[in-house]
Amino acid sequence: MSNDTLSGNGGAVSATGNTLKQFTSAGRGYWSDVPAADWNDWRWQLKHRITSLEQLQRLMPTLTPEELAGAQLAKTKLALAITPYFFNLIDPADEGCPIRQQVIPRIEETHTAAWEMSDPCGEDSHSPVPGLVHRYPDRVLFLVTDRCAAYCRYCTRSRLVSNAAGYDFHPEFDKQIAYIAAHPEIRDVLLSGGDPLLLSDDKLEHLLSKLRAIPHIEFLRIGTRIPIFLPQRITPELCAMLKKFHPLFLSIHSNHPRELTTEVREALGRLADAGIPLGNQAVLLKHVNDDTAVMKAHLQKLLMCRVRPYYIYQCDLIAGSAHLRASVRKGLEIMENLRGHTTGYAVPTYVIDAPGGGGKVPVSPEYVLCRNAGRVLIRNYEGKIFEYPEANDGTPLFAPPKEIAAAQLT
Ligand code: SF4
């Protein structure tokens, strides 16, 4: 697949990605008769999600046999759900459509490789109380719900989100909050799920107030894909409520430039205007964004939406995700083609969540070629090599062997 003509990741695009960087509306598509007040109401969008094979077949007669079989089995693994708004971004004529790949189930999800896991990040083994993951010393992951506006077929928490696999997730906010209050080393709480922005404004405000009342909590974060799946949820009322809890950061999850519509840009603008720093977490996915031109267009478009690209994740070893997993080699190639080739703010950190619970490990092309006590040999993005003299930090450049030093002291 060349960089000039892409299939399966957004149609023809110039090498500069200009086509992909254009902002367009998702439109009304199949729902052109629906009154605007309903269409723009996030509760209407949730109520009218596509959740069954029958609905999917009716709206998309071009389903492939693999998709048909996948949709039939989705209810036993990870539910099928797509908001009407997001559904309009799918190109029904393109089997390789990057939006379609992310939300339409496929039969390949039922194939589990020997190295794949149901809990690849080892969250359950680092959970002191249900719904709370305490893996790093100073911060916790606070799971608030198992529901999302739509379900990503590669979801790292597919063991619990949507409850199709019978995980029976029941967070107990009082116990989760009591644990945090009893552990003064925790200074940062990340609300996630499922999607926290599916909670009502009142419920979310109540939860944030409880957390803000804990004196050692310095920083709150929300991880959400709602601005992408359901931008209608980002109401002025929600933004006004969230801004009461600063410092509060929000990490969105977007993978492809076509997800960044005019609706999404406006929703993100409302959040940014409320003073909420925005970051993006993308997942590197085969035939979706494993291409430098697509990824670069996406990252640059995020900046245009006032979002700082934060991470690119190597897709976790979640059971049934092999068909969507791009190689680490491809990830490194993309990073090599970003650093120095575009704005530094557009270059996220590429990480692998170490399988089994080792945490995030940054992986990067090698820029330090060699290093000793006196100098560092580096290369730049063009491959040119430079020598940087090491600063003298007080460490003697040449220390005598320990035996000689010890003999001199006696
Ligand atoms: S929005 Fe997040 S939690 Fe929900 S299915 Fe997608 S990746 Fe999983």
Side-chain angles (χ1 to χ4, degrees):
M1 195 181 285
S2 82
N3 279 352
D4 294 324
T5 308
L6 309 169
S7 63
N9 52 16
V13 55
S14 72
T16 56
N18 284 338
T19 308
L20 283 169
K21 284 202 285 183
Q22 281 167 9
F23 286 93
T24 52
S25 165
R28 300 291 286 278
Y30 300 95
W31 293 271
S32 53
D33 295 344
V34 173
D38 284 343
W39 180 257
N40 294 322
D41 177 348
W42 65 279
R43 293 183 193 277
W44 182 95
Q45 288 280 339
L46 281 180
K47 200 169 154 196
H48 291 83
R49 289 184 302 174
I50 295 101
T51 56
S52 72
L53 174 60
E54 294 69 35
Q55 284 172 294
L56 196 57
Q57 271 183 307
R58 185 163 39 81
L59 294 169
M60 216 168 104
T62 54
L63 282 182
T64 65
E66 292 80 12
E67 290 168 333
L68 269 169
Q72 255 161 354
L73 294 171
K75 52 185 170 302
T76 59
K77 188 178 177 289
L78 173 68
L80 159 69
I82 311 170
T83 55
Y85 159 82
F86 197 72
F87 187 84
N88 280 347
L89 296 180
I90 294 175
D91 179 354
D94 178 10
E95 192 189 331
C97 165
I99 306 299
R100 180 172 179 160
Q101 305 276 337
Q102 294 181 61
V103 290
I104 304 284
R106 292 183 66 89
I107 191 63
E108 290 90 332
E109 290 176 27
T110 59
H111 306 161
T112 303
W115 49 87
E116 292 181 336
M117 297 167 250
S118 64
D119 181 15
C121 299
E123 291 179 343
D124 288 348
S125 59
H126 289 87
S127 183
V129 296
L132 201 75
V133 180
H134 194 179
R135 184 171 60 183
Y136 300 101
D138 67 343
R139 52 209 185 273
V140 287
L141 173 64
F142 192 124
L143 302 178
V144 302
T145 174
D146 60 358
R147 300 299 141 128
C148 300
Y151 293 110
C152 314
R153 307 318 304 173
Y154 50 86
C155 175
T156 225
R157 284 191 205 113
S158 55
R159 72 187 186 285
L160 71 89
V161 298
S162 87
N163 200 32
Y167 185 94
D168 218 15
F169 177 71
H170 289 294
E172 291 181 56
F173 290 176
D174 287 346
K175 283 191 186 156
Q176 290 161 281
I177 289 166
Y179 178 90
I180 294 168
H183 287 78
E185 72 275 18
I186 299 170
R187 39 164 289 285
D188 167 8
V189 178
L190 167 60
L191 299 185
S192 185
D195 205 311
L197 295 190
L198 278 189
L199 266 50
S200 68
D201 289 3
D202 285 350
K203 201 162 181 185
L204 195 53
E205 181 167 12
H206 181 70
L207 182 55
L208 290 169
S209 307
K210 291 264 185 193
L211 290 168
R212 258 284 157 256
I214 301 173
H216 52 265
I217 296 305
E218 300 169 3
F219 179 62
L220 295 169
R221 289 187 277 168
I222 296 176
T224 174
R225 207 173 181 194
I226 287 281
I228 303 300
F229 282 149
L230 187 62
Q232 297 80 1
R233 170 69 183 105
I234 311 302
T235 59
E237 294 75 24
L238 174 72
C239 297
M241 183 275 283
L242 292 176
K243 74 188 284 190
K244 291 193 255 176
F245 299 99
H246 284 314
L248 181 141
F249 282 41
L250 206 125
S251 292
I252 67 162
H253 169 182
S254 172
N255 296 322
H256 191 276
R258 267 195 12 218
E259 294 167 29
L260 302 174
T261 60
T262 48
E263 291 90 331
V264 168
R265 183 176 57 181
E266 282 165 23
L268 294 170
R270 287 192 286 278
L271 288 163
D273 284 346
I276 300 169
L278 302 171
N280 184 63
Q281 312 191 97
V283 182
L284 183 67
L285 296 170
K286 191 152 69 178
H287 304 318
V288 173
N289 58 14
D290 62 334
D291 179 279
T292 297
V294 171
M295 186 63 91
K296 196 192 278 184
H298 182 230
L299 300 170
Q300 291 174 345
K301 206 171 172 185
L302 282 164
L303 290 185
M304 292 157 80
C305 294
R306 304 162 72 180
V307 179
R308 164 80 157 102
Y310 178 32
Y311 283 132
I312 294 176
Y313 285 100
Q314 177 63 19
C315 185
D316 290 328
L317 298 175
I318 188 73
S321 63
H323 61 295
L324 284 170
R325 202 172 311 123
S327 64
V328 175
R329 181 189 57 74
K330 181 52 87 172
L332 287 171
E333 179 191 310
I334 289 173
M335 293 308 294
E336 177 76 54
N337 287 312
L338 290 174
R339 175 62 67 197
H341 297 272
T342 190
T343 316
Y345 273 120
V347 183
T349 305
Y350 175 40
V351 289
I352 300 177
D353 230 315
K360 291 180 189 65
V361 179
V363 279
S364 165
E366 200 55 75
Y367 293 102
V368 177
L369 302 180
C370 77
R371 187 167 69 92
N372 62 25
R375 64 182 197 142
V376 183
L377 212 59
I378 52 176
R379 72 162 174 95
N380 75 354
Y381 74 104
E382 298 163 306
K384 292 181 184 159
I385 297 174
F386 302 84
E387 184 178 322
Y388 185 87
E390 184 62 296
N392 186 352
D393 60 0
T395 310
L397 290 184
F398 300 102
K402 275 190 195 136
E403 316 80 73
I404 297 175
Q408 282 173 347
L409 285 173
T410 54

